[in-house]
């Protein structure tokens, strides 16, 4: 009997990542959640949680070891990231380094760790509309997402046609993301555009995965109807 397909999700303990894990389990995937935050829900035997800070090499090595036990992944969802909202002339460079280490370098570590196990499948990057539209106080965060867009396109060129690469660029999403930023008082309410739900991102991922063989959706932007930028 063929094994259920395996999906790796970074940052799967809350917000978008949690919604993605839930939806993939409903669609009969085995799921590994690699996240520094413990999971809050109880899932089936097809769910594996790994305490993993993606910016720490030893933690990423543990993920590789787990994949060796579970088998070849067919889906990699690169969702982990942290936010920061501060002016460049006043910001804390040490915090900038942490954001870059997680959002960019950590994602690169995960790619390097997981891709050697993947023969076919899909890699999905969670980017942001801010990657293409810099905004005041958002320079460092937007820069990491812009860099990830470049990484994603490079990966697409390197791995086509066997591995499809998609960048999802959400606008404002109602998640704990804003509560966990390194600095700044940004919130869904203060932004004022309204927000979409994490489940809508999960639905988009399932839509991507359900395309016929040979078809890849490379870019999706999802945002509230009232969001200007």
């Amino acid at each position: 009997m063929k094994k259920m397909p395996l999906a790796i999700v970074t940052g799967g303990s809350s917000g978008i990542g949690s919604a993605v894990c839930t939806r993939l389990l409903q669609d009969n995937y085995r799921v590994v959640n690699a996240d520094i935050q413990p999971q809050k829900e109880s899932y089936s035997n097809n769910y594996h949680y790994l305490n993993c800070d993606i910016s720490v090499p030893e933690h990423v090595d543990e993920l590789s070891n787990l994949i060796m036990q579970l088998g070849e992944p067919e889906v990699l969802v690169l969702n982990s990231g942290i936010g920061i909202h501060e002016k460049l002339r006043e910001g804390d460079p040490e915090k900038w380094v942490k954001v870059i280490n997680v959002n960019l370098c950590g994602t690169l570590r995960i790619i390097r760790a997981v891709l050697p196990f993947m023969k076919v499948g899909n890699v999905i990057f969670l980017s942001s509309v801010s990657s293409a539209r810099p905004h005041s106080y958002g320079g460092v965060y937007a820069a990491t997402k812009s860099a990830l867009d470049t990484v994603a396109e490079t990966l697409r060129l390197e791995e086509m046609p066997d591995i499809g690469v998609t960048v999802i660029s959400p606008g404002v999403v109602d998640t704990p993301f804003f509560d966990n930023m390194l600095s700044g008082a940004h919130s869904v309410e203060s932004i004022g555009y309204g927000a979409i739900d994490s489940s809508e991102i999960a639905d988009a991922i399932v839509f991507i995965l359900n395309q016929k063989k040979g078809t890849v959706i490379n870019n999706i932007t999802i945002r509230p109807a009232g969001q200007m930028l």
Side-chain angles (χ1 to χ4, degrees):
M1 181 181 295
K2 184 180 178 181
K3 282 187 176 180
M4 297 164 61
L6 176 64
I8 312 297
V9 180
T10 65
S13 293
S14 64
I16 292 172
S18 178
V20 172
C21 288
T22 298
R23 185 61 195 276
L24 290 176
L25 287 165
Q26 290 171 350
D27 278 27
N28 294 317
Y29 281 83
R30 293 175 295 145
V31 175
V32 174
N33 166 24
D35 197 343
I36 197 170
Q37 298 181 35
Q39 79 271 23
K40 297 180 180 178
E41 299 183 52
S42 176
Y43 292 109
S44 69
N45 292 333
N46 295 321
Y47 173 83
H48 302 267
Y49 167 74
L50 179 68
N51 185 281
C52 180
D53 181 339
I54 65 171
S55 67
V56 177
E58 293 78 10
H59 286 200
V60 177
D61 289 342
E62 290 178 13
L63 176 60
S64 295
N65 292 335
L66 180 58
I67 293 172
M68 281 191 281
Q69 298 173 36
L70 296 175
E72 177 186 329
E74 293 185 21
V75 177
L76 172 60
V77 181
L78 297 162
N79 171 67
S80 287
I82 51 177
I84 190 167
H85 191 243
E86 58 184 23
K87 209 168 184 177
L88 294 177
R89 69 183 294 167
E90 301 167 353
D92 182 347
E94 294 304 314
K95 290 181 180 178
W96 301 347
V97 169
K98 183 170 183 178
V99 172
I100 293 168
N101 279 342
V102 172
N103 294 6
L104 177 57
C105 298
T107 299
L108 287 167
R109 288 185 188 280
I110 293 293
I111 291 170
R112 180 64 182 85
V114 176
L115 260 291
F117 296 101
M118 291 184 72
K119 295 178 182 176
V120 296
N122 294 80
V123 178
I124 299 171
F125 289 75
L126 267 297
S127 182
S128 167
V129 294
S130 68
S131 69
R133 294 182 178 273
H135 56 283
S136 297
Y137 293 83
V140 174
Y141 178 76
T144 63
K145 293 300 185 178
S146 179
L148 281 183
D149 291 353
T150 299
V151 169
E153 178 62 9
T154 303
L155 188 67
R156 183 186 74 83
L157 295 172
E158 291 177 351
E159 300 295 335
M160 62 189 301
D162 297 321
I163 295 177
V165 176
T166 305
V167 175
I168 299 179
S169 300
V172 182
V173 186
D174 188 8
T175 73
F177 173 83
F178 297 107
D179 298 331
N180 297 321
M181 292 196 305
L182 287 186
S183 65
H186 232 23
S187 66
V188 170
E189 292 74 23
S190 67
I191 295 171
Y193 294 144
I196 60 175
D197 190 79
S198 298
S199 63
E200 297 174 77
I201 307 296
D203 290 343
I205 288 176
V206 171
F207 176 70
I208 291 162
L209 298 178
N210 285 337
Q211 296 303 302
K212 68 180 178 64
K213 185 177 180 180
T215 298
V216 180
I217 297 173
N218 295 126
N219 295 277
I220 292 180
T221 300
I222 310 176
R223 57 187 155 201
Q227 183 168 350
M228 296 175 60
L229 302 175

